[in-house]
């Protein structure tokens, strides 16, 4: 039997050790040092494929490769963990093919810990942000200028959104060939189990920072429901570690 861990992500990977549960020693998280009077701390995540000292820089290998670097070079540079993208690996080469290749680590010849995201960021990047140059972060004191309603913006220059969101999940239209793919929380977890990373994420909706308070509140509630469904599907496998995702709303009053 493998491991599942229920937790929330923060800048040091885990928000609190009390959220972590382990059924065997192949996965564990401990806080090793705290900064007195402050929130700073150092911790250690132990996985079946090695340890991650936190806070950690997580190397991004979107399609099971870090651009311009070999796995050996990553190791020599001190990388501890590689994060791959669930949505992109689902499209190419396909999660079933990665599974047949021994899972993400073996597929890319990386022997250290691995993570996969849920595909939730593509809800934003292929949705409201697609073709609009939006980021999920707005710099402090920087005004975001958008065309006013009824302006003379050339509609032909706008790219159509490639996602449609409903209460059950998200319809993605492939940026490669236009095919439609429907992701539910359960589907995201199934793909991530095929990819076989040490740490996986709950399916969420990554919202645009320019959305209204009303929409942010709806999306937050939807993400909470999807997290519960993600966990239920994950627990049915009884293998692999688990991390729940910390949702950071734009406005602090959503934290109440």
């Amino acid at each position: 039997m493998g491991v599942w861990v229920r937790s929330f992500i923060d800048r040091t990977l885990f928000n609190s050790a009390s959220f972590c549960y382990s059924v065997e020693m192949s996965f564990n998280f401990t806080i090793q040092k705290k900064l007195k009077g402050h929130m700073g701390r150092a911790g250690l995540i132990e996985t079946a494929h090695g340890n991650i000292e936190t806070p950690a820089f997580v190397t991004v290998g979107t399609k099971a490769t870090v651009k311009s670097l070999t796995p050996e070079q990553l190791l020599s540079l001190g990388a501890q963990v590689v994060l791959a993208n669930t949505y992109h690996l689902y499209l190419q080469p396909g999660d079933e093919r990665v599974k047949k290749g021994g899972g993400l680590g073996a597929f890319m010849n990386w022997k250290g810990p691995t993570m996969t995201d849920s595909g939730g960021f593509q809800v934003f990047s292929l949705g409201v942000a697609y073709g609009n140059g939006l980021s999920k972060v707005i710099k402090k004191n920087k005004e975001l200028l958008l065309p006013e309603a009824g302006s003379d913006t050339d509609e032909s220059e706008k790219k159509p959104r490639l996602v449609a969101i409903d209460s059950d999940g998200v319809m993605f239209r492939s940026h490669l060939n236009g095919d439609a793919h429907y992701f539910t929380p359960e589907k995201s977890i199934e793909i991530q189990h095929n990819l076989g990373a040490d740490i996986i994420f709950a399916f969420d909706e990554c919202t645009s920072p320019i959305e209204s308070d009303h929409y942010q509140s709806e999306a937050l509630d939807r993400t909470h429901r999807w997290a519960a469904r993600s966990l239920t599907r994950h627990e049915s496998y009884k293998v692999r570690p688990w991390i729940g995702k910390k949702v950071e709303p734009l406005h602090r009053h959503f934290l109440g």
Side-chain angles (χ1 to χ4, degrees), residues 55-231:
F57 176 83
V58 179
T59 309
V60 177
T62 301
K63 296 177 71 173
T65 182
V66 178
K67 292 181 179 179
S68 80
L69 295 174
T70 66
E72 292 77 16
Q73 288 172 322
L74 283 179
L75 189 62
S76 69
L77 291 170
Q80 301 182 80
V81 56
V82 173
L83 168 73
N85 186 288
T86 293
Y87 172 79
H88 288 291
L89 286 176
Y90 163 78
L91 291 181
Q92 288 182 327
D95 53 297
E96 291 285 354
R97 181 169 293 178
V98 174
K99 181 180 180 179
K100 290 178 181 178
L104 176 60
F107 188 82
M108 66 178 292
N109 195 33
W110 170 255
K111 295 178 174 57
T114 54
M115 299 180 180
T116 47
D117 66 3
S118 68
F121 178 70
Q122 279 64 47
V123 178
F124 167 70
S125 64
L126 298 177
V128 65
Y130 191 64
N132 292 322
L134 288 177
S135 168
K136 63 179 179 180
V137 177
I138 296 179
K139 292 183 179 180
K140 188 176 181 180
N141 299 325
K142 182 177 180 180
E143 183 179 3
L144 182 63
L145 299 177
L146 296 175
E148 296 181 358
S151 68
D152 294 330
T153 303
D154 187 353
E155 293 294 327
S156 65
E157 294 181 358
K158 291 184 178 180
K159 293 184 179 181
R161 296 186 183 185
L162 300 182
V163 302
I165 305 168
D166 60 41
S167 60
D168 287 326
V170 179
M171 188 281 289
F172 293 94
R173 194 162 291 281
S174 170
H175 61 288
L176 301 173
N177 59 13
D179 288 350
H181 304 273
Y182 192 69
F183 270 40
T184 62
E186 294 80 8
K187 178 72 172 178
S188 173
I189 295 300
E190 290 162 10
I191 295 169
Q192 291 184 79
H193 272 269
N194 283 340
L195 296 175
D198 293 292
I199 298 171
I200 66 176
F201 290 78
F203 191 55
D204 68 318
E205 179 184 352
C206 178
T207 59
S208 165
I210 65 171
E211 296 288 4
S212 66
D213 277 15
H214 177 72
Y215 188 86
Q216 299 283 0
S217 179
E218 283 187 343
L220 192 62
D221 289 342
R222 183 160 44 242
T223 291
H224 285 164
R225 294 193 300 270
W226 287 358
R229 290 170 55 186
S230 294
L231 181 59

